[in-house]
Amino acid sequence: MIAVSRTRSLYQRLNSDIKDRLAVCTFSLHTANTTVNLLRDDGPVVSAIRRGDVKAINDLVTSAPGSLLKENKDGWIALHDAAFCGQEECVKSLLRAHPGSVDKRTLQEQTALLLAVSCEHLSCVRCLLEAGADPDISSKNKETPLYKACELENTDMVSLILSYGASVNQRCGQGWTALHEAVSRNNTEICEMLLRAGATINPANTYSITPLIVAAQRGQMRALSYLIGKGADVNIQTCDGVTALHEASKNGYREVVAFLLTKTADANKPANSGLLPLHVAAQYGYHEIVSLLVSVTSRAMLRHSCVSPLHLAAEHDRHTVAAVLLRTGADVNATLPHSHSLQYDDRRVTALYVAIANGSTKTAEVLLNAGASLTLDPVSPLLMAVRRGCVCTVSLLLDRGADVDARIPSYPTTFPAAIALCMNNLPLLKSLLDNGCNALSCFKCTYCSAPHPASGGTQLRTVSSNGYDNMLPLNWSEPPERPTQFCEWISTPVMRKSAGPIIDLLLEHVAHVQLCSKLNELLDSREEWLAVKRKSLSPRPLLHLCRFRIRTQIGRDRLDSLTSLPLPDRLIRYLSHAD
């Protein structure tokens, strides 16, 4: 459905935050790999640092001070190696020799301070800060020492960095602050430290995602409660109009949804797509959250939505959600707005049709049990079920009285459209014929035994013959000048190769008929089909004629009652074509 694409668009910007975090992880892995290579270097400086040999470092300070500033291929100098390895005394010696190198950056723009923080070497971090290291210098992906300390949930490190005046609201490449990171870890202790240091409670990243929305998105109940207690805006929206309630509903966090509702979260604040939190919960199948949201969602807002929650539940086969919505007053026969219906080739309007079009058999059954109408859609739901080749759904609809001879308004035919839609599925065709589909209409031709026009008459536009998008399109268009006959349609290039078995099966559900010249021509085209032609020319067996006569007298609408008649099983099987 169109609503699906809109909903996907609704969250693509939120997902970019996840990609941003993955980029940070990838960047960290790159740093680790680079450092492994450095530590494998057998150079005297790196070897001395690895051993923690302060005397060797001091000797180099005296004999070759320039070697300590020599960069490797990744832009690392000795101070970077010492900070990464946690060699505090080496760091001190190097800083005494070259105090101006304290903020020297690698090719990835990492400082010694950031490397020390990344490896959680607290003493080295303190040493560097005391030497004047700038705590706000970020790496190539805008990751600061404070941000990294929050990511590692190292409270001592966070406290130390803040004490040296780190900018608490500095952002990474996507606008994510240290508070975002602390909230994503559900660490309220660090959140408290950041807020005391002046962190903004509602900082929005590049896509207007605040820490509160992050907490709701990840189900971080402790952080969520803390932020709301500190005054975070519970109804703040992203640039796509998404709220914390939308996010909690999407991800199935029932406890978070319940808590947000107690904190005046607005269930009637739509996203830019027009979807309410109830829509989102219905689409993702969280029936308990749907139960919570139904009572606080405005019926007027739902009426003005482009799609109902019931339609979304039908599309995604959320049968438990559909049941909850119906129990709480949803209209089983609510229709899509006309402007929305026009976006579909078949002009669908009901949740039942949407369920069948998306293969949601369980939800279709729930809707039928609640009284879903079979006649509100321009195209019969049965035809969509036949087109999909879903036998269980076809049987379900036939049991509920679907018209087996339904036509497609934009493609009039002289024979039932269902016959054309299941031509690559002979068992399904037999099931339809057994349920009273009008096979006789397939043998009525205006030309009879006379030659057909060279053009073959007006033909149905064929699509592919892959068993799904097959034979008879359900999309809307201008109808042809006159209804298409079965003989014209079966003679199309796509269908003629299957003509013999189809005609053979149809003959089993009619009395004696006379084939028109086009059907005879088709059967003559292949030797193996000559037996079918002989069947049509020969008198039909009495056994067959009696069955046909009895079934005709019973009537199509009562054929499904055959199995309940007080008749011998053998006779029921005979009348039902089960033999």
Side-chain angles (χ1 to χ4, degrees):
M1 292 181 68
I2 297 297
V4 177
S5 61
R6 286 178 175 173
T7 306
R8 287 174 182 159
S9 173
L10 185 68
Y11 296 109
Q12 68 181 21
R13 292 184 177 177
L14 294 175
N15 290 337
S16 69
D17 273 316
I18 298 174
K19 292 178 182 177
D20 182 46
R21 300 305 305 130
L22 288 174
V24 171
C25 295
T26 303
F27 185 78
S28 298
L29 286 173
H30 171 79
T31 300
N33 291 335
T34 300
T35 307
V36 169
N37 291 332
L38 286 168
L39 293 178
R40 287 174 180 167
D41 186 352
D42 292 327
V45 177
V46 175
S47 297
I49 290 172
R50 191 191 316 172
R51 297 193 307 271
D53 191 343
V54 181
K55 182 179 181 303
I57 294 298
N58 288 332
D59 289 343
L60 288 169
V61 168
T62 303
S63 61
S67 65
L68 302 178
L69 294 177
K70 185 179 179 181
E71 298 180 13
N72 71 359
K73 62 184 179 62
D74 293 304
W76 286 49
I77 62 173
L79 183 62
H80 294 126
D81 294 314
F84 184 86
C85 293
Q87 298 293 357
E88 180 186 359
E89 295 305 317
C90 292
V91 169
K92 290 179 179 178
S93 295
L94 292 167
L95 287 173
R96 281 195 299 269
H98 298 287
S101 66
V102 67
D103 287 330
K104 181 75 170 67
R105 306 187 197 191
T106 68
L107 293 183
Q108 294 296 322
E109 300 185 19
Q110 300 161 297
T111 62
L113 178 61
L114 180 57
L115 291 170
V117 171
S118 299
C119 295
E120 300 188 76
H121 298 313
L122 185 62
S123 60
C124 288
V125 171
R126 181 177 289 106
C127 177
L128 289 161
L129 288 169
E130 289 173 350
D134 187 343
D136 293 333
I137 296 178
S138 59
S139 62
K140 200 168 188 177
N141 68 331
K142 307 302 181 184
E143 189 177 47
T144 65
L146 178 60
Y147 186 99
K148 191 65 180 179
C150 292
E151 180 185 319
L152 296 169
E153 298 186 73
N154 191 320
T155 54
D156 291 336
M157 197 85 74
V158 171
S159 177
L160 178 61
I161 295 171
L162 288 173
S163 70
Y164 277 84
S167 176
V168 73
N169 291 311
Q170 191 167 336
R171 301 173 184 275
C172 71
Q174 295 296 324
W176 193 289
T177 66
L179 184 60
H180 282 93
E181 186 61 39
V183 167
S184 75
R185 307 285 170 176
N186 208 23
N187 194 316
T188 54
E189 182 181 359
I190 292 180
C191 289
E192 177 67 25
M193 295 167 66
L194 294 170
L195 289 175
R196 279 205 308 265
T200 304
I201 192 67
N202 291 315
N205 76 349
T206 307
Y207 304 113
S208 305
I209 301 171
T210 65
L212 179 75
I213 292 177
V214 171
Q217 184 182 44
R218 303 189 180 192
Q220 307 287 30
M221 188 66 187
R222 190 167 64 251
L224 184 79
S225 176
Y226 173 81
L227 290 170
I228 292 175
K230 292 294 183 178
D233 185 352
V234 73
N235 288 311
I236 198 166
Q237 293 177 282
T238 69
C239 57
D240 283 325
V242 172
T243 65
L245 196 57
H246 278 97
E247 278 299 294
S249 300
K250 174 197 170 189
N251 291 288
Y253 298 124
R254 181 186 180 280
E255 184 183 4
V256 172
V257 170
F259 178 74
L260 286 169
L261 291 175
T262 66
K263 298 299 180 179
T264 67
D266 188 354
N268 296 298
K269 189 180 284 290
N272 294 354
S273 65
L275 299 184
L276 300 170
L278 178 59
H279 288 102
V280 177
Q283 177 177 333
Y284 285 89
Y286 299 115
H287 62 92
E288 292 183 342
I289 294 177
V290 168
S291 297
L292 289 173
L293 293 172
V294 163
S295 60
V296 293
T297 302
S298 163
R299 299 287 178 180
M301 290 292 294
L302 289 176
R303 282 194 300 271
H304 289 93
S305 299
C306 62
V307 62
S308 76
L310 189 61
H311 282 82
L312 291 175
E315 180 183 4
H316 297 279
D317 203 12
R318 312 299 189 186
H319 58 279
T320 53
V321 168
V324 169
L325 290 169
L326 291 168
R327 281 200 305 269
T328 53
D331 181 3
V332 70
N333 290 313
T335 57
L336 293 172
H338 182 65
S339 59
H340 194 71
S341 177
L342 288 176
Q343 298 177 28
Y344 299 97
D345 289 340
D346 51 25
R347 305 294 194 266
R348 64 189 65 176
V349 295
T350 67
L352 176 63
Y353 192 98
V354 169
I356 293 168
N358 288 279
S360 305
T361 301
K362 287 185 177 180
T363 305
E365 186 171 6
V366 169
L367 294 169
L368 287 167
N369 289 339
S373 173
L374 296 167
T375 60
L376 294 178
D377 291 277
V379 177
S380 169
L382 177 67
L383 296 182
M384 175 53 78
V386 171
R387 183 187 191 186
R388 290 187 59 88
C390 186
V391 176
C392 56
T393 306
V394 169
S395 299
L396 178 65
L397 292 169
L398 290 174
D399 289 342
R400 303 306 171 91
D403 182 7
V404 74
D405 289 332
R407 303 289 203 273
I408 300 175
S410 57
Y411 285 90
T413 59
T414 61
F415 62 102
I419 292 178
L421 286 167
C422 67
M423 282 309 185
N424 281 350
N425 191 335
L426 289 180
L428 182 56
L429 175 57
K430 183 179 185 304
S431 175
L432 292 169
L433 294 171
D434 291 346
N435 279 275
C437 189
N438 187 1
L440 187 60
S441 62
C442 295
F443 299 105
K444 293 181 178 179
C445 174
T446 57
Y447 306 108
C448 298
S449 58
H452 288 51
S455 63
T458 303
Q459 296 181 349
L460 287 175
R461 177 170 65 84
T462 57
V463 191
S464 65
S465 55
N466 60 7
Y468 176 67
D469 239 343
N470 57 355
M471 280 59 85
L472 191 62
L474 298 184
N475 57 297
W476 217 256
S477 63
E478 287 298 320
E481 295 178 0
R482 66 170 180 80
T484 301
Q485 300 182 142
F486 175 79
C487 58
E488 295 168 338
W489 180 80
I490 198 69
S491 300
T492 58
V494 171
M495 290 310 307
R496 63 183 301 120
K497 59 186 178 182
S498 305
I502 293 168
I503 296 172
D504 189 31
L505 183 56
L506 290 170
L507 288 172
E508 291 299 320
H509 291 80
V510 295
H512 184 71
V513 292
Q514 183 177 0
L515 303 186
C516 71
S517 61
K518 186 170 282 292
L519 292 181
N520 276 312
E521 178 186 335
L522 275 175
L523 295 177
D524 287 337
S525 66
R526 295 174 65 166
E527 185 176 351
E528 64 267 29
W529 293 348
L530 294 179
V532 180
K533 183 176 181 179
R534 287 195 294 271
K535 179 192 286 190
S536 69
L537 295 173
S538 305
R540 307 311 304 278
L542 183 60
L543 192 67
H544 171 79
L545 293 174
C546 287
R547 174 166 53 197
F548 177 78
R549 182 64 174 174
I550 293 171
R551 286 173 60 88
T552 301
Q553 291 296 317
I554 290 174
R556 186 187 68 190
D557 296 337
R558 291 182 292 179
L559 286 176
D560 58 350
S561 303
L562 278 174
T563 55
S564 63
L565 294 176
L567 298 172
D569 181 64
R570 183 178 177 184
L571 183 56
I572 291 176
R573 288 176 59 80
Y574 161 69
L575 294 175
S576 303
H577 282 279
D579 57 349

